[in-house]
Amino acid sequence: MTGVESYRFSQDLAHVYLTIFSLFCFKLFVKISLAILSHFYIVKGNRKEAARIAAEFYGATQGQGSWADRSPLHEAASQGRLLSLKTLLAQGHSANTLTIDHVSPLHDACLGNHVACAKALIEAGANVNATTIDGITPLFNACSSGSASCAELVLQNGAKLQGQDCWASAIHEASSKGRSECMQVLISWGVDIDLDISQQGTPLYVACVHQQYFCIKKLLHAGANVQKGKHLETPLHAAARQSNPEIVKMLLEFGADISARNAEAERPIDVAVTSSPVDRLLLHYEATPSSLCQLCRLCVRGCLGRARLQFIPQLELPKLLKDFLQHK
């Protein structure tokens, strides 16, 4: 290639880059202009026009009830104003009105633990399985806020235990935030307590990471797999990294393998803080074999299987033995 041809090629390439940059700037200008225009209509109170602009801008269908901002129904639901909410519904406001992010009034009611509002919305036809753009459902919000009543309500009206987006798992949310009452509701409805999400692991692992003692206890009593965590990392690894020996002790009593190795070939004792209470506890368990009673209890529970653990109280056995089998 001659010097002249090389110069012309460089010029053409520069024009291509300039064109791409110009298109990017134009698109950015259009986005900012539409956002400002939408905000202007919101301030002026013209929600319908704002919704129309937002629907065109975000590619949403106006028939789905998308709004450029939160509607009065959302505000009433989030603040628990039942009378205002019922009035708006009577005036013809749709119970399935959505924000740009597809948040419904039922999402807000569950997040705020406003059971009466949630019930009114459901009676007006609210979708109990409505999903935001982040995969959040009303059930997830109920577990996030610790509203066992809202969780029970939406489940009674057909809510799915697990939404389409595996990341937004109600049982994992309850585990991470210590919502043991919500967890009990989910367990009673048959949730998969060993649901393994690649980014988070199992609910038991998540509860151990966040040191949620009562959630860990409920999961283990319900038959959660004490060895199943996140990839090769076990719940005991997660607990050993923290400074709560009671959690570590409980996991060991339910059969956690003290010799399990993670992806780095580390045992739980290898990840514990040296000379900490957890470290000393793990050293003691390594040097002390499990008792015959402990081994028998684990064997019996394993033979019964998770589905039949709930029937232990009905067995014709002495109360002391039934309590022993249930780790009481």
Side-chain angles (χ1 to χ4, degrees):
M1 183 181 289
T2 64
V4 175
E5 289 176 339
S6 178
Y7 175 76
R8 286 178 179 176
F9 177 76
S10 299
Q11 287 290 94
D12 291 341
L13 189 61
H15 289 155
V16 171
Y17 281 121
L18 182 62
T19 302
I20 293 173
F21 180 72
S22 299
L23 288 173
F24 172 77
C25 291
F26 177 73
K27 186 176 181 180
L28 182 63
F29 172 76
V30 171
K31 285 186 176 182
I32 294 173
S33 300
L34 285 173
I36 294 172
L37 185 61
S38 177
H39 178 72
F40 171 78
Y41 279 115
I42 292 171
V43 172
K44 291 295 183 180
N46 192 342
R47 294 175 178 272
K48 290 185 177 180
E49 185 62 20
R52 185 188 66 78
I53 293 171
E56 292 180 0
F57 177 43
Y58 288 96
T61 306
Q62 197 171 1
Q64 291 178 323
S66 298
W67 289 86
D69 66 333
R70 298 166 63 79
S71 72
L73 202 60
H74 285 85
E75 296 299 328
S78 64
Q79 296 173 22
R81 294 188 278 111
L82 181 60
L83 183 60
S84 298
L85 184 137
K86 286 186 173 181
T87 301
L88 290 167
L89 290 172
Q91 290 174 350
H93 288 254
S94 172
N96 289 307
T97 298
L98 303 177
T99 66
I100 289 175
D101 295 333
H102 287 193
V103 176
S104 71
L106 185 57
H107 278 98
D108 285 337
C110 290
L111 190 60
N113 190 19
H114 302 306
V115 185
C117 289
K119 185 177 181 181
L121 287 165
I122 292 172
E123 290 174 349
N127 180 8
V128 294
N129 289 305
T131 306
T132 69
I133 59 173
D134 297 318
I136 305 299
T137 63
L139 178 60
F140 180 95
N141 274 357
C143 291
S144 182
S145 64
S147 178
S149 298
C150 283
E152 184 73 42
L153 178 66
V154 295
L155 285 167
Q156 287 174 350
N157 286 275
K160 297 176 181 177
L161 286 165
Q162 179 59 42
Q164 295 178 351
D165 191 335
C166 289
W167 180 85
S169 162
I171 185 70
H172 284 77
E173 182 71 2
S175 299
S176 67
K177 294 191 173 179
R179 311 303 191 188
S180 57
E181 291 184 0
C182 290
M183 178 174 289
Q184 186 58 52
V185 170
L186 295 172
I187 291 172
S188 67
W189 279 85
V191 71
D192 181 5
I193 57 176
D194 285 331
L195 178 64
D196 191 356
I197 297 176
S198 59
Q199 302 93 332
Q200 295 178 283
T202 63
L204 180 60
Y205 181 83
V206 170
C208 288
V209 168
H210 295 276
Q211 300 186 70
Q212 300 297 350
Y213 178 86
F214 292 105
C215 287
I216 295 169
K217 187 175 181 179
K218 283 191 179 294
L219 286 165
L220 289 173
H221 278 271
N225 188 339
V226 73
Q227 293 303 125
K228 197 172 181 182
K230 182 180 179 182
H231 307 305
L232 293 177
E233 188 99 340
T234 68
L236 187 57
H237 281 93
R241 285 191 169 89
Q242 311 300 333
S243 56
N244 193 330
E246 289 191 5
I247 291 177
V248 172
K249 183 178 180 181
M250 182 164 53
L251 291 168
L252 290 168
E253 287 179 351
F254 276 86
D257 184 2
I258 199 169
S259 301
R261 295 183 181 272
N262 60 17
E264 288 74 36
E266 296 172 319
R267 297 171 302 158
I269 196 169
D270 297 327
V271 301
V273 177
T274 305
S275 299
S276 67
V278 168
D279 184 50
R280 290 194 294 270
L281 177 63
L282 291 171
L283 282 171
H284 171 75
Y285 267 81
E286 277 193 340
T288 308
S290 298
S291 66
L292 182 60
C293 287
Q294 170 71 355
L295 294 173
C296 288
R297 175 165 56 185
L298 295 174
C299 183
V300 171
R301 286 177 64 89
C303 290
L304 285 173
R306 181 193 303 168
R308 291 191 289 271
L309 290 177
Q310 59 182 315
F311 299 118
I312 290 179
Q314 300 174 21
L315 295 175
E316 295 183 3
L317 295 172
K319 184 179 183 301
L320 184 64
L321 186 53
K322 287 190 287 187
D323 288 347
F324 178 73
L325 290 175
Q326 296 177 91
H327 288 266
K328 290 185 178 180

